[in-house]
Amino acid sequence: MQRWLLLWPLFALALAAPVELKLNLRVGGQPLQFGQTYQTPQKQRYQIDLLKFYLSEVALVRPDGSEVRVPGLVLAEFKPGGPTQGVTLMRFEAPPGTYRGIRFNVGVPRELNHLDAATQSPPLGVNSGMYWAWNPGYIFFKLEGRAFLEPERRWVIHMGTDAFRIPVRLQDLQTPRLVLNLPGRGGSILLNLDVGAAFLPGPGGAFLDWRQEELRQLHGLSPQTRAFMGLVYQNLIQAFSLASPPLQSR
Amino acid sequence: MNARWTYFLLLLGLPGLLWLATLRVEGEGALSMPMVRLPLEPPDNPQTPAKVALGRRLFYDTRLSADGTVACASCHKPAFAFSDGGQRFSRGVGGQEGQRNAPSLTNVGHRRALFWEGRSPRLELQAVGPLTAHNEMAMTPEALAQRLEAIPSYAQAFREVFGEPPSLRMVTFALAAFQRTLLSYNSPFDRFQAGDLKALSPAAQRGMELFFSERGDCFHCHTGPEFTDDTPHNTALYTVYPDIGLARATGRDEDVGKFKTPTLRNVALTAPYMHDGSIPTLREVVMHYNRGGQPNLNADVLIRPLGLSEQEIDDLVAFLESLTDRSFTANPNLLPPAEP
């Protein structure tokens, strides 16, 4: 028994495969390009200038529904001049084997979100540019751009507060379609985020109409704009997907 | 008194205090000095003279804004007790107008809740707001750090004070240290409290009685030596509030129209009044309270018709005017430093 215990670390080492979690930004079916003009379903033309979000509480989901949790919190940032395809968000280790998906949250875990931001270290803290001075807590998801109206207008979506942590579940336990086979030598899991999906209309055709000033500054929980924040939130839950193939071995 | 503060006052504050003392000798020649209340220093950001000096430079420096036109002091002007001198709404970069009235920073180191809805817990975090807001100073953490690093005197000062290069975080720490020195306790009211019974006019004394009585009821919210409970209330300013106040942050209907009680120290210098600067004079503010405001479901129970006579309204105004501390607005240690 004693001897087995001594060997355990070696087993553990052999059992951990390196994984990279990578992201492609898309608009509809196309890779996102900064500087390119896109159109919402309501034919408002826009450009993306910044995308920044926290990713946390990542877990790989086993076929029996149990999870391999991955510790850590990362801040992803995309802006003109930087890459948008195959960008590594996070590196971690997980036991090789078969998985049926991945889940994560876009946001800062509740227990970290309300500590004193003046003393927290990166990627938290005020130097992140994600601290929300008017509200204790962080902006979880920041999307900024311009709308080509007459005249051109800047718009921002700053989503945060515990009510707007985005739970993303990319798993499929029922059908055998989704299988991630993580080999012992490790691999990359590739996600897509369709940024354009943020602007899809809601029930009854309600949409984020940038001609309205208050909808160009979407922050926090304000009852005046909350319905629209809720709409973008619902859209974003659906905006992540696994690329195909979802896993590339090393 | 904490030893560090003593040291700090000795080093930096002494000229100011001496100067204050001469003012008082020229003035009524009172018996005792009003007591200065020192704010608590956060353990992670102790006051030092060098840090305060750095914060003071930063406070007055327009280079902290994206287009180099706006400083903290553009909207918080010393002559107006660090409020925005008669402006209903202040202008940030590119002349963009904000939506709220810039509050006075009198004794701001004592506020336990910052901003009009009182949702920011400390000065170090509050300053992130104006520095990064698109219609105030519009900086990003990266741009701010680069800008200051390129100015040799700042690059050096940050290393001396914090042992690290300039960053948004260290800028807010230095600004907080300076703001904790914005102390004002030398109004006629303070001198009256300290024993100079001639410091207040009879009208101001009658107004004071009213203010602290159950009839005027002002002191329930404008509490204690700072004249604020640091808590948001709805004062029935409107039936439908264009700016919904606390609800903007909480999303709750019952928080619509709630704003933090402002301090009343130096209030005669900070017109126009209320979160949106919608009331131009103190007399009109008192008349608003006297009417009991507008019908509003969220209104605080204390807001109700008060039945004050014209004379009593004037008395209350005289009392509010007695909260003005001229030695504060002219304190040389708080004005722009010699080399920016």
Side-chain angles (χ1 to χ4, degrees):
Chain A
M1 187 62 203
Q2 291 265 321
R3 222 174 282 157
W4 278 110
L5 273 181
L6 283 177
L7 284 174
W8 179 242
L10 283 180
F11 272 110
L13 218 68
L15 284 176
V19 183
E20 274 185 73
L21 185 61
K22 294 185 174 184
L23 182 70
N24 299 321
L25 296 185
R26 338 240 330 154
V27 175
Q30 301 302 311
L32 177 137
Q33 279 178 354
F34 286 113
Q36 181 156 331
T37 300
Y38 298 99
Q39 220 175 45
T40 65
Q42 295 74 28
K43 307 261 181 292
Q44 292 191 344
R45 296 186 313 123
Y46 69 96
Q47 264 182 25
I48 301 289
D49 293 330
L50 178 72
L51 167 66
K52 232 171 140 170
F53 61 86
Y54 282 109
L55 188 87
S56 61
E57 298 171 273
V58 177
L60 296 180
V61 184
R62 294 200 188 89
D64 64 0
S66 66
E67 294 181 341
V68 174
R69 295 196 182 185
V70 179
L73 166 78
V74 293
L75 176 57
E77 179 167 358
F78 301 88
K79 56 186 175 192
T84 61
Q85 305 302 307
V87 179
T88 300
L89 298 178
M90 184 172 206
R91 291 191 174 82
F92 55 90
E93 300 205 324
T98 300
Y99 294 95
R100 299 299 288 274
I102 182 171
R103 69 153 177 91
F104 53 85
N105 288 344
V106 172
V108 175
R110 183 185 283 268
E111 61 277 15
L112 296 177
N113 196 29
H114 303 289
L115 300 179
D116 181 358
T119 56
Q120 284 174 298
S121 43
L124 296 170
V126 304
N127 288 342
S128 66
M130 299 294 271
Y131 181 70
W132 217 333
W134 283 269
N135 250 327
Y138 289 90
I139 300 170
F140 295 162
F141 179 93
K142 218 181 210 188
L143 185 61
E144 301 184 359
R146 274 164 293 158
F148 299 107
L149 309 165
E150 305 272 327
E152 179 183 309
R153 300 284 197 178
R154 284 185 43 79
W155 51 263
V156 309
I157 299 170
H158 291 179
M159 187 178 289
T161 77
D162 291 313
F164 285 114
R165 192 175 286 105
I166 307 169
V168 181
R169 304 271 173 278
L170 304 175
Q171 62 195 48
D172 185 352
L173 298 174
Q174 277 69 45
T175 67
R177 270 175 306 183
L178 181 57
V179 178
L180 304 176
N181 277 320
L182 181 65
R185 61 182 183 284
S188 319
I189 298 176
L190 200 57
L191 304 173
N192 289 332
L193 168 57
D194 179 1
V195 179
F199 314 117
L200 294 176
F207 71 101
L208 201 60
D209 186 346
W210 287 314
R211 286 170 301 187
Q212 284 174 256
E213 192 183 345
E214 67 272 21
L215 297 186
R216 294 197 294 266
Q217 292 287 328
L218 224 51
H219 300 268
L221 283 176
S222 163
Q224 285 155 337
T225 52
R226 187 173 182 151
F228 288 91
M229 191 63 106
L231 172 61
V232 177
Y233 175 78
Q234 291 301 333
N235 286 339
L236 288 174
I237 293 180
Q238 307 295 328
F240 285 89
S241 60
L242 282 162
S244 63
L247 191 134
Q248 291 163 351
S249 54
R250 291 198 154 196
Chain B
M1 196 191 292
N2 161 331
R4 202 180 271 128
W5 264 109
T6 318
Y7 180 66
F8 167 72
L9 276 181
L10 279 177
L11 264 170
L12 192 107
L14 200 60
L17 284 180
L18 285 177
W19 179 81
L20 271 182
T22 54
L23 254 198
R24 302 208 337 94
V25 171
E26 282 163 17
E28 1 289 91
L31 308 167
S32 55
M33 278 278 281
M35 212 179 63
V36 172
R37 300 178 72 236
L38 297 176
L40 285 175
E41 284 175 59
D44 60 356
N45 192 20
Q47 298 285 109
T48 66
K51 194 188 288 175
V52 171
L54 175 59
R56 178 177 169 196
R57 277 176 71 191
L58 292 166
F59 189 87
Y60 287 100
D61 197 334
T62 55
R63 290 175 292 187
L64 265 60
S65 64
D67 64 1
T69 61
V70 179
C72 306
S74 309
C75 305
H76 300 286
K77 303 184 177 91
F80 301 92
F82 297 87
S83 70
D84 198 2
Q87 299 292 319
R88 188 168 172 191
F89 302 121
S90 309
R91 291 186 183 277
V93 294
Q96 294 178 81
E97 203 169 68
Q99 287 156 353
R100 288 183 177 175
N101 186 246
S104 161
L105 302 184
T106 302
N107 300 344
V108 72
H110 285 287
R111 290 300 85 72
R112 282 171 283 121
L114 298 156
F115 285 127
W116 275 107
E117 54 274 83
R119 295 274 292 178
S120 178
R122 59 184 293 193
L123 288 169
E124 284 81 354
L125 292 173
Q126 184 281 332
V128 176
L131 284 165
T132 61
H134 72 105
N135 58 357
E136 295 191 46
M137 298 162 89
M139 284 300 245
T140 61
E142 296 79 20
L144 183 62
Q146 269 171 21
R147 175 94 47 100
L148 295 176
E149 182 70 26
I151 302 169
S153 60
Y154 274 130
Q156 193 189 339
F158 275 90
R159 283 172 178 81
E160 279 167 15
V161 170
F162 296 110
E164 56 180 271
S167 65
L168 172 62
R169 177 165 179 264
M170 294 296 92
V171 167
T172 66
F173 273 52
L175 283 170
F178 170 63
Q179 290 179 90
R180 291 194 175 97
T181 70
L182 303 180
L183 297 173
S184 168
Y185 295 101
N186 194 24
S187 66
F189 166 75
D190 293 301
R191 294 200 291 272
F192 183 84
Q193 292 246 302
D196 176 2
L197 298 181
K198 292 196 303 279
L200 290 189
S201 69
Q205 291 189 36
R206 289 193 302 271
M208 181 175 72
E209 292 295 322
L210 256 178
F211 189 93
F212 292 104
S213 73
E214 295 297 329
R215 205 166 143 240
D217 254 349
C218 316
F219 75 106
H220 280 298
C221 303
H222 299 282
T223 316
E226 300 301 336
F227 294 89
T228 170
D229 57 1
D230 283 332
T231 306
H233 302 275
N234 180 313
T235 56
L237 195 55
Y238 302 107
T239 300
V240 178
Y241 273 81
D243 177 341
I244 57 178
L246 182 60
R248 208 169 73 164
T250 64
R252 287 198 297 257
D253 285 341
E254 65 265 32
D255 290 337
V256 171
K258 287 192 181 163
F259 295 88
K260 183 193 65 179
T261 311
T263 180
L264 298 180
R265 287 186 170 273
N266 294 313
V267 73
L269 303 176
T270 69
Y273 300 106
M274 314 313 251
H275 67 275
D276 58 355
S278 57
I279 305 189
T281 65
L282 282 177
R283 197 166 201 286
E284 284 160 284
V285 175
V286 177
M287 283 162 62
H288 151 75
Y289 283 112
N290 195 33
R291 279 192 303 270
Q294 306 291 327
N296 190 302
L297 285 177
N298 291 342
D300 196 283
V301 289
L302 296 172
I303 307 298
R304 57 180 201 277
L306 300 176
L308 304 177
S309 66
E310 291 294 308
Q311 170 74 58
E312 287 172 316
I313 292 175
D314 289 339
D315 291 346
L316 263 178
V317 172
F319 172 64
L320 294 173
E321 284 169 346
S322 81
L323 300 175
T324 303
D325 174 3
R326 289 284 172 192
S327 70
F328 175 59
T329 55
N331 181 346
N333 292 325
L334 307 180
L335 296 175
E339 44 99 44

